[in-house]
């Protein structure tokens, strides 16, 4: 196997949404190249399964990182892309969407409007 890029593994971060098979983290760097971070349209509406998964991921982000900037690391790009540009934003002007070291931050005002349940102490799955 080729040398993979270094990737911070966020210890203690949930691996995924229980009972769904949806992952929140990846195990290792992608040998085909880093999946870019970009804004993707969201189709889940409140009450739908996809909305609950996005809310659970944001809940995990908030309770792990709070309002501080955090490194992309092993966070799943597919999940991040559904929040990126809205609830999760680049934490600096030198943001590289193709880097596992890219810094992100929760846009708390937008996130609280979109997913108020994500800021509760406990998220019921």
């Amino acid at each position: 196997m080729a040398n993979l890029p270094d990737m911070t593994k966020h210890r203690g971060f949930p691996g995924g949404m229980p009972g769904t098979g949806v992952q929140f983290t990846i195990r290792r760097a992608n040998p085909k190249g880093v999946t870019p971070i970009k804004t993707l349209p969201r189709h889940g509406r409140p009450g739908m399964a996809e909305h609950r998964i996005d809310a659970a991921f944001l809940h995990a982000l908030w309770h792990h990182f709070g309002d501080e900037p955090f490194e992309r690391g092993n966070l799943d790009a597919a999940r991040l892309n559904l929040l990126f540009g809205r609830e999760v934003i680049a934490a600096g002007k030198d943001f590289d969407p193709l880097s596992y070291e890219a810094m992100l931050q929760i846009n708390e005002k937008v996130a609280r409007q979109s997913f108020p349940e994500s800021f509760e102490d406990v998220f019921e799955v």
Side-chain angles (χ1 to χ4, degrees), residues 14-29:
M17 176 108 167
T20 65
V22 173
Q23 66 184 32
F24 290 171
T25 61
I26 58 176
R27 292 181 185 199
R28 66 190 65 82

Side-chain angles (χ1 to χ4, degrees), residues 26-46:
I26 58 176
R27 292 181 185 199
R28 66 190 65 82
N30 186 345
K32 297 178 185 174
V34 180
T35 302
I37 298 297
K38 59 187 176 192
T39 304
L40 291 179
R42 251 197 324 260
H43 302 292
R45 292 184 183 83

Side-chain angles (χ1 to χ4, degrees), residues 24-103:
F24 290 171
T25 61
I26 58 176
R27 292 181 185 199
R28 66 190 65 82
N30 186 345
K32 297 178 185 174
V34 180
T35 302
I37 298 297
K38 59 187 176 192
T39 304
L40 291 179
R42 251 197 324 260
H43 302 292
R45 292 184 183 83
M48 294 177 65
E50 194 64 32
H51 180 87
R52 294 281 302 156
I53 293 167
D54 291 340
F57 182 59
L58 183 59
H59 179 268
L61 290 172
W62 178 254
H63 289 280
H64 199 80
F65 302 112
D67 60 359
E68 296 296 316
F70 56 92
E71 190 172 323
R72 170 191 177 171
N74 71 326
L75 299 174
D76 184 64
R79 295 270 49 103
L80 283 171
N81 287 343
L82 292 169
L83 300 177
F84 187 72
R86 296 173 292 260
E87 295 82 15
V88 175
I89 56 175
K93 295 181 195 270
D94 58 344
F95 177 75
D96 180 358
L98 290 171
S99 173
Y100 289 120
E101 296 175 351
M103 295 301 290

